[in-house]
Structures are given as structure tokens and as C-alpha cells.
Amino acid sequence: MATSVRAANDGTSPPDPPAPPSPPPAAARRTGGWRSRLYRWDLKATPYAFVAPFFLCFAAFGLFPLVYTGWLSLHRVELGGEAQWRGFDNYTGLWDSDFFWNALANTFTIGVISTVPQLLMALGLAHLLNYKLRGRGFLRVAVLAPYATSIAAATLVFAQLFNSDYGLINTVLGQVGFDPVDWESSKWPAQIAISVIVIWRWTGYNALIYLAAMQAVPQELYEAASLDGASRWRQFVSVTIPSIRPTILFTVVVSTIGATQLFGEPMLYGGSLGVSGGSGNQFQTLSLLMYEKGWMTGALGQASAIAWVMLLILLLIGGVRLLVARLNRETT
């Protein structure tokens, strides 16, 4: 208003109002739309690009070998030869093979002998490490040292200790009045010796897993149990064990899977006869039988069938674990 009055007094016309902004040209609109689509594509595709390397590696080194092994198990395949379709003959051959059932029984017995004492010792060791001991940090590192030792070094040392002629174990047994034990050619002594190697190597590892679970148990539970007059043993049984039950179930499943795939310890312990599991196959496991069939005799089809049987056993173990976990959730 003041501008109009001033313009009228001066005899000049008022300035024109500002023109409305002109629409952007078509090229600019096309550029903006392309950038918008590119942004949306980047927002959706970037997460898949980040996880793609894992799936590519899994497909190349996990899924493809699994599917190809299943295809080989349905064929008769010799090293350097052509594959011949046999259907389920390799599986029926395993059913009728005494070597397969012997290896399966050895895998089960060695697994039980090595897993049960190992987890019980790990549980007790973790319970001791959970207290405020002097040098507790050093002890926690020390119990993990066997796990860091290579399988070859540990097995060769124990093979010397269990040597039937000059081993330290037989020497000690002789000093206390026992006869020497044939730790290599006898079935149960050989399996016990291999189980000792497994126990020595994995007890500390499981103990640290249990220790981590025990440290997550609320201290209020122990204080309440102490006020009720519970001893340390009663607190361990009634408070610690129920609180770390999922961890115990996890270690049982993992240790069972490891026992099913046991390979390095029995192979190195047997020396030149390690692949066959000793002179009488007394400690031949499923993994050793699979290796012998595949690379010693060249029967890749039979070896692939053994591999798939082991996979089915592991899936069965996983199914039992899920069933037990569900029952535990229902009871709690």
C-alpha cells in the first residue's frame, strides 16, 4: 500500500508482481525420477548385496557338495571312471555290511566313553572356577590350552604314553602290580585310549562354556538358597544345574556331533593301521570307514552313502535336541 501511494505521488506506475516459478524442464524431471528409482533400488538391494557373499560361499562349498554327494551315493563311481546308476544299492550294501555296523557301534561306544566323562568333568571344573580363587584368570587360560593344541601333536604324545611296550601308562600299572595292557590291539583299551585323548582336548573348552553360563545366573538365587540353609552342593544341584540346562543341552548335542564325526584321533593313534581302525577294525569309526571306502578302495559311491547316513544321524540328533528343548519349555 505504501509503495502504491508513493508511486502515485511520484507519477510512476507500481512494479509488476513477481512471476510464478516456471516448471522444471523435461530433462530435469527425467533426471529426478531416475535418481529416485536408483535410491529405492539401492535401499532394497544393499542388504542383499551385503549378505550375498555368505550365500555364494555356502552354495559353492556347502550346498553343492551336499547335493553332489547325494547324487554320487546313488551311483557306482570309481576314481577316474564313469558313474553308473545303482539306485539305493549302496545303502542296501551298507545295511548288509558287517564293516558298517562295526564302525557304527565303535562310533557310538567311543562317543559315549568320551562325551559323558568329558561333560561331567567340565561341569565340575567350571563350578570350581566360578569361585573366587587365587590365580583364577591364569587357570581359565590354562584349561583352554589343550584345545589350542593340534590334534596331531596331542595324539602322537598320547600314543607314546599308551604304547604297549614302553609306554608310561603300562610302566605305572606295572609298578602297582597290574599286568601290561594292550592299548592298541585290544578293542576296549584302544577305545578308552582314544577317548582319553578326546576328553583331554575338549574338557577345558566345555568348562569355559559352562563357566560363562554360570556367571549369568543371578546371585539373588544363591543368596535365597543360602538363607534357606542350602549347602554349596545343594545350591549347585538345585540352582546352578537348572539355570544352565539349555547350555548343558547345547554342549551335549555339539559333543555328540563331534563324536559322530571323529576322525583325526583314531587315525593318528593307529599309525599305519589307523585308516582301518586297527588290525581288527576295533576302533574304526564311520568317518574312517568313509575315508577308506572313498580314497583307499576308490568306491566313491559307497563313501557318499556313508556320508549321507552320517548326515541323517546328525539330523536325528538335532531333532531329539529340539524335542527335548520343547519339553523343557513346556515343563517350565
Side-chain angles (χ1 to χ4, degrees), residues 223-260:
E223 294 175 358
S226 178
L227 291 176
D228 291 339
S231 61
R232 286 190 174 182
W233 171 253
R234 176 53 57 184
Q235 293 177 23
F236 177 72
V237 173
S238 302
V239 178
T240 305
I241 297 298
S243 300
I244 65 171
R245 187 179 301 169
T247 305
I248 295 176
L249 182 59
F250 167 77
T251 55
V252 168
V253 173
V254 172
S255 299
T256 305
I257 292 175
T260 306

Side-chain angles (χ1 to χ4, degrees), residues 4-66:
S4 300
V5 173
R6 191 182 306 111
N9 295 332
D10 296 340
T12 59
S13 60
D16 296 332
S22 59
R29 290 198 300 269
R30 287 195 299 269
T31 303
W34 177 79
R35 289 180 177 177
S36 177
R37 288 194 299 269
L38 181 62
Y39 173 76
R40 290 196 299 268
W41 291 342
D42 177 70
L43 189 64
K44 295 180 179 179
T46 299
Y48 296 99
F50 282 132
V51 300
F54 165 77
F55 288 101
L56 292 176
C57 293
F58 173 75
F61 302 104
L63 184 61
F64 172 74
L66 181 65

Side-chain angles (χ1 to χ4, degrees), residues 61-85:
F61 302 104
L63 184 61
F64 172 74
L66 181 65
V67 175
Y68 186 65
T69 303
W71 180 84
L72 288 178
S73 68
L74 303 177
H75 294 74
R76 178 182 178 182
V77 186
E78 304 292 340
L79 286 174
E82 296 291 336
Q84 302 176 5
W85 173 262

Side-chain angles (χ1 to χ4, degrees), residues 11 23 47 52 67 70-71 82 113 124 156 165 167 183 199 202 204 208 249 256 275 288 293-294 306 308 310:
V67 175
W71 180 84
E82 296 291 336
I113 297 173
L156 292 177
D165 298 326
W183 296 102
I199 292 171
W202 289 97
L208 291 184
L249 182 59
T256 305
V275 175
L288 287 177
K293 290 292 185 182
I306 297 173
W308 266 82
M310 293 174 62

Side-chain angles (χ1 to χ4, degrees), residues 105-121 183 187-200 203 255 259 262 282-283:
N106 291 339
T107 302
F108 176 77
T109 55
I110 295 177
V112 172
I113 297 173
S114 61
T115 300
V116 175
Q118 171 194 153
L119 297 182
L120 292 177
M121 293 171 59
W183 296 102
K187 179 178 180 179
W188 290 109
Q191 293 190 8
I192 291 174
I194 294 172
S195 300
V196 168
I197 303 173
V198 178
I199 292 171
W200 178 84
T203 298
S255 299
L262 192 63
Q282 64 269 17
F283 55 87

Side-chain angles (χ1 to χ4, degrees), residues 72-314:
L72 288 178
S73 68
L74 303 177
H75 294 74
R76 178 182 178 182
V77 186
E78 304 292 340
L79 286 174
E82 296 291 336
Q84 302 176 5
W85 173 262
R86 290 302 177 92
F88 291 95
D89 288 350
N90 289 324
Y91 294 95
T92 56
L94 293 179
W95 182 268
D96 298 330
S97 174
D98 294 334
F99 293 100
F100 170 75
W101 291 109
N102 174 69
L104 181 61
N106 291 339
T107 302
F108 176 77
T109 55
I110 295 177
V112 172
I113 297 173
S114 61
T115 300
V116 175
Q118 171 194 153
L119 297 182
L120 292 177
M121 293 171 59
L123 196 60
L125 187 60
H127 182 61
L128 292 177
L129 292 177
N130 197 29
Y131 288 105
K132 294 182 179 179
L133 302 175
R134 182 175 298 178
R136 183 173 52 177
F138 170 76
L139 293 176
R140 291 176 181 178
V141 175
V143 298
L144 196 61
Y147 173 72
T149 307
S150 67
I151 298 178
T155 305
L156 292 177
V157 170
F158 276 93
Q160 298 299 317
L161 293 176
F162 285 103
N163 189 278
S164 302
D165 298 326
Y166 52 84
L168 179 62
I169 304 299
N170 276 347
T171 302
V172 174
L173 291 177
Q175 293 293 332
V176 296
F178 290 96
D179 296 331
V181 179
D182 191 356
W183 296 102
E184 298 176 3
S185 300
S186 300
K187 179 178 180 179
W188 290 109
Q191 293 190 8
I192 291 174
I194 294 172
S195 300
V196 168
I197 303 173
V198 178
I199 292 171
W200 178 84
R201 192 164 184 268
W202 289 97
T203 298
Y205 175 82
N206 289 311
L208 291 184
I209 294 178
Y210 288 150
L211 178 61
M214 289 178 183
Q215 291 182 341
V217 179
Q219 291 296 323
E220 293 79 4
L221 298 178
Y222 293 106
E223 294 175 358
S226 178
L227 291 176
D228 291 339
S231 61
R232 286 190 174 182
W233 171 253
R234 176 53 57 184
Q235 293 177 23
F236 177 72
V237 173
S238 302
V239 178
T240 305
I241 297 298
S243 300
I244 65 171
R245 187 179 301 169
T247 305
I248 295 176
L249 182 59
F250 167 77
T251 55
V252 168
V253 173
V254 172
S255 299
T256 305
I257 292 175
T260 306
Q261 300 174 337
L262 192 63
F263 178 79
E265 288 85 349
M267 182 177 182
L268 294 173
Y269 181 79
S272 59
L273 299 175
V275 175
S276 58
S279 57
N281 307 111
Q282 64 269 17
F283 55 87
Q284 187 178 47
T285 61
L286 287 175
S287 297
L288 287 177
L289 181 62
M290 177 182 64
Y291 182 85
E292 182 182 21
K293 290 292 185 182
W295 301 108
M296 304 302 292
T297 63
L300 294 179
Q302 296 180 15
S304 301
I306 297 173
W308 266 82
V309 170
M310 293 174 62
L311 175 63
L312 295 177
I313 294 174
L314 297 180

